[in-house]
Amino acid sequence: MTTFYNEHSKVFVSVDCIIFGFENKKLKLLIGKRKMDPGRGSWSLYGGFVEKDESLDDAANRVLYQLTGLKDIYMKQVGAFGAIDRDPGERVISIAYCALINVKDYDKGLLEAHEVEWVNLEELPDLYSDHNDMVDKAITLLRRRVSSEPLSFNLLPDMFTLTQLQHVYEAILGEAIDKRNFRKKIKAVEYIEKTDFVDKVTSKRGAALYRFNKDAYLADSTFKL
Amino acid sequence: MTTFYNEHSKVFVSVDCIIFGFENKKLKLLIGKRKMDPGRGSWSLYGGFVEKDESLDDAANRVLYQLTGLKDIYMKQVGAFGAIDRDPGERVISIAYCALINVKDYDKGLLEAHEVEWVNLEELPDLYSDHNDMVDKAITLLRRRVSSEPLSFNLLPDMFTLTQLQHVYEAILGEAIDKRNFRKKIKAVEYIEKTDFVDKVTSKRGAALYRFNKDAYLADSTFKL
DNA sequence: CCAAAAGTGTTCCGTCTACACCCATGG
DNA sequence: CCATGGGTGTAGACGGAACACTTTTGG
């Protein structure tokens, strides 16, 4: 069995997580300063090596769980990055994954424990190695998918106002959206359901809270926004 | 420098090429029977291991070159596949790449030398390991991109008739397209240029040959079809 | 009472779709 | 002369974009 394999060389494989959050009308990224060589001290995505007993997806979920304590998170593979010298220490090929989480679900204590921070996407610093390329590709994918897949809800609490939802779209697409046209489209989507709850935090008048009905969506998986 | 790396395990990394061609109104895939264990004799994509001195993209291009003798081919990464047992022999993570080539550019002699064949996409057999998943993902990407990127020309000779071009779109999208509407759109695209040449092979009357002007496209990279 | 956010319809314009006939030619 | 594929225009439907005012209420 160990036949032709031996002629070839093995390499390290890691996963890097591009973790998007949304707060205050802005897309945010969870990044930290590297605590190891090479690249100690530079801003970096959070990552980890793929171990023998886990698939790539499993590794990405494990790394995300280690950092955030969250499971069953929206995660998509962004792509494999494999320039020869992308890691100055050893040959390491890395698979980038993109995760969308609700910032409110994230335990603030962990921010300090792991020494990571939420940084506005627009103010993203230079990151370690090719991590900026990973982020760029992730955003490109996100923009492409946000209109054809119900992604956006992953960045919000279970219940949200239409204004919040609109802000998510605006942040991802990077452009203003007309309020009336947006709401018209939303009303046509049957699995975005109005609840009887009202949010009085951001407005004096109060805004109706909506909910994404995942089961209804799965029953009729058409999405267009 | 060899510090924390050692705690982790290395794995083999390979690339697999999903090579699309177009002939006789059909999308075709270049596949062969595996000539090695594990999986000897089963239909398979053409692949190879990533070596120390090459990036992932380089490896994919080398593998494609070894098989076809072609360089500077349209190639896009499809994604990384890393289920634990996807290769029954050893842990191997594979990066799938999608290539589009003009079947006419492919030396028929190489077909036999490498024992590979063009197979209609619709008649694709069960492939080794997760190769069918790779193909499925490649097609999904292709469908998504074909309307927003000038891919289709890679599947045709330098000069082509509008009917041929339409057949390419129909094959990729898997649905019939109205001839008049299609030609109307094409005429609006300034970098699809009519030449003075006429193709008399497929019709008695003769069909005008067109050419994709890459420089004109790059000068104004908008594409919508 | 006023600032701040929520909520609500209509019109216009451009784009997509459906659809059928004549043309040129080689065999 | 006819079978085969090449080539052409129009009308109606539909969806997207632009656009402004009223409502509620906490401070």
Side-chain angles (χ1 to χ4, degrees):
Chain A
M1 266 304 183
T2 44
T3 51
F4 66 103
Y5 295 109
N6 295 330
E7 304 158 29
H8 306 282
S9 56
K10 290 182 166 188
V11 296
F12 292 109
V13 175
S14 65
V15 293
D16 285 301
C17 293
I18 300 142
I19 304 168
F20 286 101
F22 177 78
E23 205 175 36
N24 200 21
K25 304 190 191 180
K26 305 274 188 187
L27 270 186
K28 305 200 160 210
L29 233 55
L30 200 53
I31 58 174
K33 297 227 172 153
R34 265 175 83 88
K35 285 180 271 186
M36 52 217 174
D37 283 315
R40 187 184 297 267
S42 49
W43 287 102
S44 162
L45 296 173
Y46 198 82
F49 286 94
V50 177
E51 304 298 343
K52 276 199 198 68
D53 59 345
E54 58 184 7
S55 69
L56 295 174
D57 290 356
D58 288 344
N61 281 299
R62 169 181 55 79
V63 166
L64 185 73
Y65 178 72
Q66 285 170 352
L67 177 61
T68 65
L70 301 173
K71 285 194 172 178
D72 297 320
I73 290 298
Y74 177 92
M75 277 259 246
K76 288 273 182 190
Q77 192 188 107
V78 169
F81 290 74
I84 297 170
D85 56 355
R86 59 175 297 284
D87 185 302
E90 272 270 6
R91 179 79 195 265
V92 181
I93 286 167
S94 188
I95 319 298
Y97 277 81
C98 164
L100 303 182
I101 75 174
N102 171 22
V103 172
K104 302 268 162 50
D105 289 344
Y106 186 70
D107 181 349
K108 302 278 175 195
L110 287 172
L111 281 178
E112 285 136 40
H114 290 288
E115 297 178 54
V116 290
E117 292 178 28
W118 287 107
V119 175
N120 281 342
L121 186 57
E122 298 145 3
E123 295 150 22
L124 198 65
D126 282 345
L127 302 178
Y128 174 70
S129 183
D130 52 7
H131 288 191
N132 287 96
D133 298 334
M134 294 179 176
V135 172
D136 289 345
K137 191 165 176 197
I139 294 165
T140 302
L141 289 180
L142 208 55
R143 291 216 172 114
R144 196 172 295 169
R145 285 179 179 151
V146 73
S147 314
S148 58
E149 206 180 321
L151 301 169
S152 38
F153 310 106
N154 296 293
L155 291 164
L156 293 171
D158 271 0
M159 292 202 286
F160 49 85
T161 67
L162 294 187
T163 303
Q164 284 178 299
L165 187 63
Q166 182 176 343
H167 288 327
V168 170
Y169 277 87
E170 289 176 331
I172 292 176
L173 296 172
E175 59 189 20
I177 298 173
D178 180 89
K179 181 166 57 158
R180 279 179 287 186
N181 292 336
F182 182 77
R183 291 165 107 96
K184 204 188 310 169
K185 282 194 211 166
I186 295 294
K187 284 213 190 99
V189 180
E190 62 279 9
Y191 46 78
I192 302 179
E193 298 169 346
K194 191 173 184 170
T195 68
D196 293 332
F197 299 96
V198 171
D199 171 87
K200 300 274 284 183
V201 179
T202 47
S203 89
K204 314 191 169 175
R205 178 177 171 177
L209 285 164
Y210 286 72
R211 188 189 277 133
F212 170 62
N213 185 331
K214 193 167 182 178
D215 294 333
Y217 167 71
L218 292 173
D220 167 29
S221 301
T222 52
F223 188 85
K224 192 83 212 100
L225 209 98
Chain B
M1 266 308 184
T2 44
T3 51
F4 67 102
Y5 295 110
N6 294 332
E7 304 158 30
H8 306 283
S9 56
K10 291 182 167 189
V11 296
F12 292 109
V13 175
S14 65
V15 292
D16 285 300
C17 293
I18 300 142
I19 303 169
F20 287 100
F22 177 78
E23 206 175 35
N24 201 18
K25 306 191 190 178
K26 305 272 188 188
L27 270 188
K28 303 195 161 215
L29 233 55
L30 199 54
I31 57 174
K33 297 228 172 152
R34 266 177 82 89
K35 284 180 275 187
M36 52 219 175
D37 284 314
R40 189 185 297 266
S42 48
W43 287 103
S44 162
L45 296 173
Y46 197 81
F49 286 95
V50 177
E51 303 297 344
K52 276 199 195 70
D53 59 345
E54 58 184 6
S55 68
L56 295 174
D57 290 357
D58 288 346
N61 280 298
R62 168 179 58 78
V63 167
L64 185 73
Y65 179 72
Q66 284 170 354
L67 177 61
T68 65
L70 300 173
K71 287 192 171 180
D72 296 321
I73 291 296
Y74 178 93
M75 276 260 246
K76 290 271 182 193
Q77 192 186 108
V78 169
F81 290 73
I84 296 169
D85 55 355
R86 58 175 296 285
D87 185 302
E90 271 270 7
R91 178 78 195 266
V92 181
I93 285 167
S94 186
I95 319 297
Y97 277 82
C98 162
L100 303 181
I101 74 174
N102 172 20
V103 172
K104 301 270 163 48
D105 289 343
Y106 187 71
D107 181 349
K108 302 276 175 197
L110 288 172
L111 281 179
E112 285 135 40
H114 291 288
E115 297 177 54
V116 290
E117 290 178 29
W118 287 109
V119 175
N120 282 340
L121 186 56
E122 300 144 4
E123 296 151 21
L124 198 64
D126 281 345
L127 302 177
Y128 173 71
S129 183
D130 51 8
H131 288 192
N132 286 96
D133 298 334
M134 294 179 177
V135 172
D136 289 346
K137 190 164 178 198
I139 292 164
T140 302
L141 288 180
L142 207 56
R143 291 216 172 113
R144 196 173 294 171
R145 284 178 179 151
V146 73
S147 314
S148 59
E149 207 181 319
L151 301 168
S152 38
F153 310 106
N154 295 294
L155 290 165
L156 292 170
D158 271 359
M159 293 201 287
F160 48 85
T161 68
L162 294 186
T163 302
Q164 284 177 298
L165 188 63
Q166 182 178 342
H167 289 328
V168 170
Y169 278 88
E170 289 176 333
I172 293 177
L173 297 173
E175 58 188 21
I177 298 173
D178 180 88
K179 181 164 60 157
R180 279 180 288 190
N181 293 336
F182 183 77
R183 292 162 107 98
K184 205 188 311 170
K185 281 193 208 165
I186 295 292
K187 285 213 188 99
V189 180
E190 62 278 9
Y191 46 79
I192 301 180
E193 299 169 346
K194 192 174 186 173
T195 69
D196 293 332
F197 299 96
V198 171
D199 172 88
K200 299 275 282 185
V201 179
T202 47
S203 90
K204 315 192 169 175
R205 175 176 173 177
L209 284 164
Y210 286 72
R211 187 189 277 133
F212 171 61
N213 185 331
K214 193 168 183 179
D215 294 333
Y217 166 70
L218 291 173
D220 169 28
S221 301
T222 51
F223 188 85
K224 194 86 212 96
L225 206 95

